mmCIF file of all heavy atoms in Angstrom:
data_model
loop_
_atom_site.group_PDB
_atom_site.id
_atom_site.type_symbol
_atom_site.label_atom_id
_atom_site.label_comp_id
_atom_site.label_asym_id
_atom_site.label_seq_id
_atom_site.Cartn_x
_atom_site.Cartn_y
_atom_site.Cartn_z
ATOM 1 N N PRO J 1 214.446 154.308 28.284
ATOM 2 C CA PRO J 1 215.258 154.068 27.082
ATOM 3 C C PRO J 1 216.728 154.447 27.231
ATOM 4 O O PRO J 1 217.115 155.221 28.115
ATOM 5 C CB PRO J 1 214.575 154.960 26.031
ATOM 6 C CG PRO J 1 213.197 155.176 26.538
ATOM 7 C CD PRO J 1 213.312 155.207 28.031
ATOM 8 N N SER J 2 217.541 153.917 26.322
ATOM 9 C CA SER J 2 218.976 154.187 26.316
ATOM 10 C C SER J 2 219.251 155.673 26.186
ATOM 11 O O SER J 2 218.652 156.371 25.370
ATOM 12 C CB SER J 2 219.641 153.430 25.162
ATOM 13 O OG SER J 2 219.549 152.045 25.341
ATOM 14 N N HIS J 3 220.173 156.155 27.003
ATOM 15 C CA HIS J 3 220.557 157.561 26.990
ATOM 16 C C HIS J 3 221.945 157.679 27.596
ATOM 17 O O HIS J 3 222.498 156.717 28.128
ATOM 18 C CB HIS J 3 219.551 158.408 27.782
ATOM 19 C CG HIS J 3 219.519 158.096 29.243
ATOM 20 N ND1 HIS J 3 218.980 156.934 29.743
ATOM 21 C CD2 HIS J 3 219.978 158.799 30.310
ATOM 22 C CE1 HIS J 3 219.103 156.917 31.051
ATOM 23 N NE2 HIS J 3 219.711 158.044 31.432
ATOM 24 N N ALA J 4 222.537 158.853 27.499
ATOM 25 C CA ALA J 4 223.874 159.099 28.040
ATOM 26 C C ALA J 4 223.971 160.549 28.473
ATOM 27 O O ALA J 4 223.133 161.382 28.115
ATOM 28 C CB ALA J 4 224.938 158.766 27.003
ATOM 29 N N HIS J 5 225.007 160.864 29.240
ATOM 30 C CA HIS J 5 225.226 162.214 29.741
ATOM 31 C C HIS J 5 226.654 162.628 29.392
ATOM 32 O O HIS J 5 227.615 162.105 29.972
ATOM 33 C CB HIS J 5 225.025 162.277 31.258
ATOM 34 C CG HIS J 5 223.788 161.589 31.743
ATOM 35 N ND1 HIS J 5 222.544 162.172 31.686
ATOM 36 C CD2 HIS J 5 223.604 160.354 32.282
ATOM 37 C CE1 HIS J 5 221.652 161.332 32.184
ATOM 38 N NE2 HIS J 5 222.267 160.218 32.542
ATOM 39 N N ASP J 6 226.815 163.535 28.471
ATOM 40 C CA ASP J 6 228.147 163.983 28.067
ATOM 41 C C ASP J 6 228.789 164.826 29.162
ATOM 42 O O ASP J 6 228.177 165.759 29.695
ATOM 43 C CB ASP J 6 228.066 164.806 26.777
ATOM 44 C CG ASP J 6 227.698 163.956 25.567
ATOM 45 O OD1 ASP J 6 227.957 162.738 25.613
ATOM 46 O OD2 ASP J 6 227.150 164.507 24.596
ATOM 47 N N GLY J 7 230.028 164.495 29.509
ATOM 48 C CA GLY J 7 230.775 165.283 30.473
ATOM 49 C C GLY J 7 230.309 165.148 31.907
ATOM 50 O O GLY J 7 230.730 165.920 32.771
ATOM 51 N N ILE J 8 229.462 164.172 32.170
ATOM 52 C CA ILE J 8 228.894 163.993 33.510
ATOM 53 C C ILE J 8 229.178 162.574 34.005
ATOM 54 O O ILE J 8 228.960 161.601 33.283
ATOM 55 C CB ILE J 8 227.367 164.209 33.499
ATOM 56 C CG1 ILE J 8 227.017 165.648 33.117
ATOM 57 C CG2 ILE J 8 226.762 163.834 34.844
ATOM 58 C CD1 ILE J 8 227.442 166.687 34.126
ATOM 59 N N THR J 9 229.678 162.469 35.237
ATOM 60 C CA THR J 9 229.766 161.177 35.902
ATOM 61 C C THR J 9 228.537 161.054 36.803
ATOM 62 O O THR J 9 228.246 161.943 37.602
ATOM 63 C CB THR J 9 231.043 161.070 36.748
ATOM 64 O OG1 THR J 9 232.176 161.252 35.900
ATOM 65 C CG2 THR J 9 231.132 159.697 37.409
ATOM 66 N N GLU J 10 227.850 159.938 36.656
ATOM 67 C CA GLU J 10 226.553 159.759 37.302
ATOM 68 C C GLU J 10 226.550 158.518 38.184
ATOM 69 O O GLU J 10 227.175 157.500 37.869
ATOM 70 C CB GLU J 10 225.470 159.608 36.226
ATOM 71 C CG GLU J 10 224.092 159.237 36.748
ATOM 72 C CD GLU J 10 223.141 158.863 35.625
ATOM 73 O OE1 GLU J 10 223.409 157.852 34.923
ATOM 74 O OE2 GLU J 10 222.150 159.579 35.442
ATOM 75 N N SER J 11 225.825 158.608 39.276
ATOM 76 C CA SER J 11 225.554 157.415 40.078
ATOM 77 C C SER J 11 224.125 157.462 40.572
ATOM 78 O O SER J 11 223.552 158.535 40.772
ATOM 79 C CB SER J 11 226.521 157.309 41.260
ATOM 80 O OG SER J 11 226.443 158.456 42.084
ATOM 81 N N TYR J 12 223.550 156.287 40.718
ATOM 82 C CA TYR J 12 222.241 156.121 41.331
ATOM 83 C C TYR J 12 222.425 155.293 42.602
ATOM 84 O O TYR J 12 223.200 154.337 42.617
ATOM 85 C CB TYR J 12 221.287 155.321 40.436
ATOM 86 C CG TYR J 12 220.859 155.948 39.143
ATOM 87 C CD1 TYR J 12 221.404 155.524 37.934
ATOM 88 C CD2 TYR J 12 219.858 156.925 39.111
ATOM 89 C CE1 TYR J 12 220.987 156.064 36.731
ATOM 90 C CE2 TYR J 12 219.436 157.469 37.907
ATOM 91 C CZ TYR J 12 220.003 157.036 36.719
ATOM 92 O OH TYR J 12 219.591 157.571 35.529
ATOM 93 N N ILE J 13 221.692 155.640 43.641
ATOM 94 C CA ILE J 13 221.592 154.779 44.819
ATOM 95 C C ILE J 13 220.135 154.359 44.944
ATOM 96 O O ILE J 13 219.235 155.201 45.026
ATOM 97 C CB ILE J 13 222.049 155.501 46.101
ATOM 98 C CG1 ILE J 13 223.527 155.882 45.997
ATOM 99 C CG2 ILE J 13 221.818 154.596 47.320
ATOM 100 C CD1 ILE J 13 224.043 156.672 47.187
ATOM 101 N N CYS J 14 219.908 153.067 44.928
ATOM 102 C CA CYS J 14 218.544 152.549 45.000
ATOM 103 C C CYS J 14 218.022 152.681 46.429
ATOM 104 O O CYS J 14 218.628 152.162 47.375
ATOM 105 C CB CYS J 14 218.525 151.088 44.550
ATOM 106 S SG CYS J 14 216.864 150.389 44.430
ATOM 107 N N LEU J 15 216.904 153.397 46.579
ATOM 108 C CA LEU J 15 216.282 153.589 47.890
ATOM 109 C C LEU J 15 215.112 152.645 48.123
ATOM 110 O O LEU J 15 214.828 152.277 49.262
ATOM 111 C CB LEU J 15 215.808 155.038 48.035
ATOM 112 C CG LEU J 15 216.881 156.122 47.909
ATOM 113 C CD1 LEU J 15 216.247 157.505 47.988
ATOM 114 C CD2 LEU J 15 217.945 155.964 48.986
ATOM 115 N N SER J 16 214.403 152.273 47.058
ATOM 116 C CA SER J 16 213.343 151.277 47.172
ATOM 117 C C SER J 16 213.083 150.671 45.803
ATOM 118 O O SER J 16 213.399 151.263 44.771
ATOM 119 C CB SER J 16 212.050 151.889 47.741
ATOM 120 O OG SER J 16 211.428 152.739 46.798
ATOM 121 N N GLY J 17 212.492 149.467 45.798
ATOM 122 C CA GLY J 17 212.264 148.770 44.542
ATOM 123 C C GLY J 17 213.534 148.111 44.034
ATOM 124 O O GLY J 17 214.535 148.005 44.743
ATOM 125 N N SER J 18 213.492 147.676 42.787
ATOM 126 C CA SER J 18 214.678 147.070 42.170
ATOM 127 C C SER J 18 214.680 147.371 40.682
ATOM 128 O O SER J 18 213.625 147.448 40.045
ATOM 129 C CB SER J 18 214.717 145.555 42.404
ATOM 130 O OG SER J 18 213.572 144.925 41.846
ATOM 131 N N VAL J 19 215.891 147.564 40.147
ATOM 132 C CA VAL J 19 216.059 147.890 38.731
ATOM 133 C C VAL J 19 217.230 147.107 38.167
ATOM 134 O O VAL J 19 218.055 146.565 38.906
ATOM 135 C CB VAL J 19 216.307 149.403 38.517
ATOM 136 C CG1 VAL J 19 215.154 150.233 39.066
ATOM 137 C CG2 VAL J 19 217.631 149.841 39.138
ATOM 138 N N SER J 20 217.293 147.069 36.841
ATOM 139 C CA SER J 20 218.444 146.507 36.141
ATOM 140 C C SER J 20 218.928 147.534 35.138
ATOM 141 O O SER J 20 218.122 148.292 34.582
ATOM 142 C CB SER J 20 218.060 145.208 35.425
ATOM 143 O OG SER J 20 219.173 144.681 34.716
ATOM 144 N N GLU J 21 220.243 147.595 34.921
ATOM 145 C CA GLU J 21 220.789 148.497 33.912
ATOM 146 C C GLU J 21 221.488 147.676 32.841
ATOM 147 O O GLU J 21 222.371 146.865 33.138
ATOM 148 C CB GLU J 21 221.770 149.493 34.524
ATOM 149 C CG GLU J 21 222.297 150.489 33.489
ATOM 150 C CD GLU J 21 223.235 151.531 34.074
ATOM 151 O OE1 GLU J 21 222.739 152.529 34.614
ATOM 152 O OE2 GLU J 21 224.466 151.332 33.979
ATOM 153 N N ASN J 22 221.079 147.897 31.591
ATOM 154 C CA ASN J 22 221.657 147.185 30.449
ATOM 155 C C ASN J 22 221.612 145.671 30.632
ATOM 156 O O ASN J 22 222.472 144.942 30.142
ATOM 157 C CB ASN J 22 223.105 147.631 30.194
ATOM 158 C CG ASN J 22 223.194 149.093 29.789
ATOM 159 O OD1 ASN J 22 222.198 149.697 29.389
ATOM 160 N ND2 ASN J 22 224.371 149.672 29.882
ATOM 161 N N ASN J 23 220.606 145.204 31.371
ATOM 162 C CA ASN J 23 220.419 143.764 31.608
ATOM 163 C C ASN J 23 221.644 143.122 32.254
ATOM 164 O O ASN J 23 221.900 141.925 32.065
ATOM 165 C CB ASN J 23 220.091 143.042 30.293
ATOM 166 C CG ASN J 23 218.796 143.526 29.682
ATOM 167 O OD1 ASN J 23 217.811 143.743 30.388
ATOM 168 N ND2 ASN J 23 218.778 143.721 28.369
ATOM 169 N N GLN J 24 222.372 143.913 33.041
ATOM 170 C CA GLN J 24 223.593 143.405 33.678
ATOM 171 C C GLN J 24 223.470 143.522 35.192
ATOM 172 O O GLN J 24 223.931 144.468 35.801
ATOM 173 C CB GLN J 24 224.820 144.180 33.168
ATOM 174 C CG GLN J 24 225.061 143.990 31.671
ATOM 175 C CD GLN J 24 226.201 144.846 31.157
ATOM 176 O OE1 GLN J 24 226.649 145.772 31.819
ATOM 177 N NE2 GLN J 24 226.679 144.535 29.960
ATOM 178 N N GLY J 25 222.809 142.576 35.788
ATOM 179 C CA GLY J 25 222.655 142.570 37.230
ATOM 180 C C GLY J 25 221.398 143.270 37.690
ATOM 181 O O GLY J 25 220.775 144.033 36.961
ATOM 182 N N VAL J 26 221.022 143.001 38.938
ATOM 183 C CA VAL J 26 219.841 143.591 39.558
ATOM 184 C C VAL J 26 220.299 144.445 40.733
ATOM 185 O O VAL J 26 221.095 144.007 41.562
ATOM 186 C CB VAL J 26 218.863 142.506 40.049
ATOM 187 C CG1 VAL J 26 217.671 143.140 40.758
ATOM 188 C CG2 VAL J 26 218.397 141.650 38.872
ATOM 189 N N TYR J 27 219.770 145.672 40.807
ATOM 190 C CA TYR J 27 220.133 146.605 41.864
ATOM 191 C C TYR J 27 218.941 146.788 42.792
ATOM 192 O O TYR J 27 217.881 147.257 42.368
ATOM 193 C CB TYR J 27 220.562 147.943 41.272
ATOM 194 C CG TYR J 27 221.773 147.826 40.375
ATOM 195 C CD1 TYR J 27 221.637 147.552 39.012
ATOM 196 C CD2 TYR J 27 223.061 147.960 40.897
ATOM 197 C CE1 TYR J 27 222.751 147.433 38.192
ATOM 198 C CE2 TYR J 27 224.174 147.843 40.086
ATOM 199 C CZ TYR J 27 224.014 147.578 38.740
ATOM 200 O OH TYR J 27 225.113 147.448 37.930
ATOM 201 N N SER J 28 219.120 146.403 44.052
ATOM 202 C CA SER J 28 218.074 146.485 45.064
ATOM 203 C C SER J 28 218.448 147.578 46.068
ATOM 204 O O SER J 28 219.528 148.173 45.973
ATOM 205 C CB SER J 28 217.915 145.127 45.747
ATOM 206 O OG SER J 28 219.151 144.705 46.283
ATOM 207 N N PRO J 29 217.575 147.890 47.041
ATOM 208 C CA PRO J 29 217.866 148.971 47.979
ATOM 209 C C PRO J 29 219.231 148.841 48.650
ATOM 210 O O PRO J 29 219.605 147.766 49.125
ATOM 211 C CB PRO J 29 216.726 148.857 48.992
ATOM 212 C CG PRO J 29 215.588 148.345 48.176
ATOM 213 C CD PRO J 29 216.210 147.358 47.224
ATOM 214 N N GLY J 30 219.962 149.963 48.651
ATOM 215 C CA GLY J 30 221.298 149.991 49.230
ATOM 216 C C GLY J 30 222.414 149.817 48.233
ATOM 217 O O GLY J 30 223.590 149.972 48.583
ATOM 218 N N SER J 31 222.080 149.509 46.979
ATOM 219 C CA SER J 31 223.115 149.303 45.961
ATOM 220 C C SER J 31 223.276 150.552 45.101
ATOM 221 O O SER J 31 222.406 151.406 45.036
ATOM 222 C CB SER J 31 222.790 148.092 45.095
ATOM 223 O OG SER J 31 221.520 148.242 44.483
ATOM 224 N N MET J 32 224.436 150.631 44.439
ATOM 225 C CA MET J 32 224.760 151.777 43.608
ATOM 226 C C MET J 32 224.986 151.361 42.165
ATOM 227 O O MET J 32 225.599 150.325 41.890
ATOM 228 C CB MET J 32 226.021 152.491 44.118
ATOM 229 C CG MET J 32 226.522 153.603 43.194
ATOM 230 S SD MET J 32 228.071 154.361 43.742
ATOM 231 C CE MET J 32 227.460 155.403 45.055
ATOM 232 N N ILE J 33 224.498 152.184 41.236
ATOM 233 C CA ILE J 33 224.799 152.061 39.810
ATOM 234 C C ILE J 33 225.741 153.196 39.458
ATOM 235 O O ILE J 33 225.483 154.357 39.807
ATOM 236 C CB ILE J 33 223.533 152.171 38.952
ATOM 237 C CG1 ILE J 33 222.487 151.151 39.383
ATOM 238 C CG2 ILE J 33 223.866 152.003 37.477
ATOM 239 C CD1 ILE J 33 221.140 151.313 38.686
ATOM 240 N N PHE J 34 226.829 152.895 38.778
ATOM 241 C CA PHE J 34 227.824 153.898 38.404
ATOM 242 C C PHE J 34 227.914 153.996 36.892
ATOM 243 O O PHE J 34 228.085 152.993 36.201
ATOM 244 C CB PHE J 34 229.190 153.524 38.981
ATOM 245 C CG PHE J 34 230.301 154.438 38.563
ATOM 246 C CD1 PHE J 34 230.423 155.705 39.121
ATOM 247 C CD2 PHE J 34 231.225 154.033 37.609
ATOM 248 C CE1 PHE J 34 231.455 156.555 38.733
ATOM 249 C CE2 PHE J 34 232.255 154.871 37.215
ATOM 250 C CZ PHE J 34 232.370 156.138 37.781
ATOM 251 N N ASN J 35 227.785 155.228 36.375
ATOM 252 C CA ASN J 35 227.866 155.462 34.935
ATOM 253 C C ASN J 35 228.902 156.551 34.630
ATOM 254 O O ASN J 35 228.681 157.718 34.965
ATOM 255 C CB ASN J 35 226.502 155.904 34.387
ATOM 256 C CG ASN J 35 225.457 154.812 34.478
ATOM 257 O OD1 ASN J 35 225.714 153.662 34.142
ATOM 258 N ND2 ASN J 35 224.272 155.162 34.950
#
């Protein structure tokens, strides 16, 4: 579900599988999500 982190800069690096964030693109292994 939707959530946020106050005062924190966050990144995810996909190691396996695939995900989408906010229905804006697909992130597969080797890609980064920046929040």
Side-chain angles (χ1 to χ4, degrees):
S2 295
H3 65 288
H5 314 279
D6 291 336
I8 296 293
T9 301
E10 173 190 63
S11 58
Y12 293 104
I13 297 177
C14 186
L15 301 176
S16 71
S18 60
V19 301
S20 178
E21 183 178 277
N22 296 343
N23 298 318
Q24 296 175 345
V26 177
Y27 299 88
S28 56
S31 57
M32 173 184 283
I33 305 173
F34 176 75
N35 294 315

